[in-house]
Amino acid sequence: AIWMTQSPSLLSASTGDRVTISCRMSQGISSYLAWYQQKPGKAPELLIYAASTLQSGVPSRFSGSGSGTDFTLTISCLQSEDFATYYCQQYYSFPRTFGQGTKVEIK
Amino acid sequence: QVQLVESGGGVVQPGGSLRLSCAASGFTFSSYGMHWVRQAPGKGLEWVAFIRYDGSNKYYADSVKGRFTISRDNSKNTLYLQMNSLRAEDTAVYYCAMSLAGYYDILTGYYDYFDYWGQGTLVTVSS
């Protein structure tokens, strides 16, 4: 199985901040990485796939980068609706695996 | 539009069984692989199982292998998860999920992320 290390687990930030979340793989996965946002009581929503492709309808303040083993999700200017939990997920091989999650909270 | 609606959750005793269903609509169900993903209360997401569009290939997380069985009925546009020998640690919200962008590479396998999710169904394993 491919192990994923997502960091930080908790991120305190203010509206307008630029925030970065990291995801590191135990082995290379090319660009087969997705990012999701989840709000309490809701199903996750896809933000980014293929490491850097923005899903339709997702605001351009979200961006993804990386390939191989190291990936990053960046929110350029945090908005109030962005306070949520974020997960990375690899779809390079089975079993599919998720990162542990990053909760972005209001500072 | 794509809709995935899970059902079948509930309270079950340790060692018991439960079958979850996921009714799909808005796309050609028989053409796409389908997944189950779960989330224990207050915890992160855990992938559970996958089934190929025609049911010919299945994959499972180690944590459920030998206890859970994924299946599908393409004539009914429905995905299933048969859960046996349930444990307290199986308590979670179970989601079905899929992608309309999934594709097979004949040499290297199947690639898909999750752009569609159901609303989830809660399974509680407790005596």
Side-chain angles (χ1 to χ4, degrees):
Chain A
I2 297 174
W3 299 103
M4 307 173 69
T5 303
Q6 186 176 340
S7 62
S9 55
L10 179 64
L11 197 161
S12 298
S14 302
T15 303
D17 284 353
R18 177 185 180 90
V19 301
T20 299
I21 299 169
S22 170
C23 198
R24 175 163 288 179
M25 309 296 131
S26 60
Q27 64 186 78
I29 62 166
S30 185
S31 296
Y32 293 102
L33 187 98
W35 290 96
Y36 302 87
Q37 177 193 70
Q38 187 179 34
K39 296 182 178 178
K42 300 291 188 181
E45 292 187 0
L46 177 68
L47 295 174
I48 286 169
Y49 61 93
S52 61
T53 303
L54 206 61
Q55 171 71 346
S56 176
V58 173
S60 58
R61 62 181 179 272
F62 291 91
S63 64
S65 64
S67 68
T69 59
D70 292 307
F71 300 86
T72 299
L73 172 70
T74 300
I75 310 173
S76 60
C77 182
L78 205 60
Q79 301 298 300
S80 57
E81 61 266 32
D82 302 336
F83 292 98
T85 301
Y86 295 84
Y87 296 92
C88 55
Q89 180 244 331
Q90 65 82 17
Y91 54 100
Y92 177 76
S93 66
F94 288 100
R96 302 293 199 237
T97 43
F98 288 90
Q100 300 89 335
T102 296
K103 183 177 181 179
V104 177
E105 66 170 22
I106 301 172
K107 185 186 285 186
Chain B
Q1 72 280 20
V2 172
Q3 266 205 309
L4 302 172
V5 179
E6 302 94 338
S7 61
V11 180
V12 60
Q13 291 189 339
S17 297
L18 210 56
R19 188 177 82 156
L20 306 183
S21 299
C22 171
S25 60
F27 66 102
T28 305
F29 181 72
S30 58
S31 296
Y32 294 92
M34 297 292 296
H35 300 258
W36 288 100
V37 176
R38 69 183 180 182
Q39 186 169 36
K43 303 296 184 182
L45 299 168
E46 180 188 16
W47 175 83
V48 173
F50 166 80
I51 185 168
R52 188 176 144 120
Y53 66 95
D54 58 1
S56 63
N57 256 18
K58 303 175 185 180
Y59 296 94
Y60 297 93
D62 285 347
S63 58
V64 306
K65 203 173 292 182
R67 301 187 299 122
F68 289 13
T69 301
I70 189 171
S71 63
R72 64 192 297 159
D73 186 336
N74 286 344
S75 69
K76 294 182 178 179
N77 289 350
T78 303
L79 174 72
Y80 302 102
L81 186 67
Q82 177 67 43
M83 305 185 294
N84 298 332
S85 303
L86 282 161
R87 307 166 179 166
E89 54 264 36
D90 296 317
T91 294
V93 174
Y94 285 74
Y95 298 100
C96 58
M98 59 84 66
S99 175
L100 292 181
Y103 68 95
Y104 283 95
D105 181 302
I106 195 167
L107 294 177
T108 56
Y110 186 68
Y111 301 96
D112 68 336
Y113 40 86
F114 307 131
D115 45 351
Y116 294 97
W117 298 70
Q119 86 287 352
T121 187
L122 176 62
V123 173
T124 302
V125 184
S126 173
S127 53

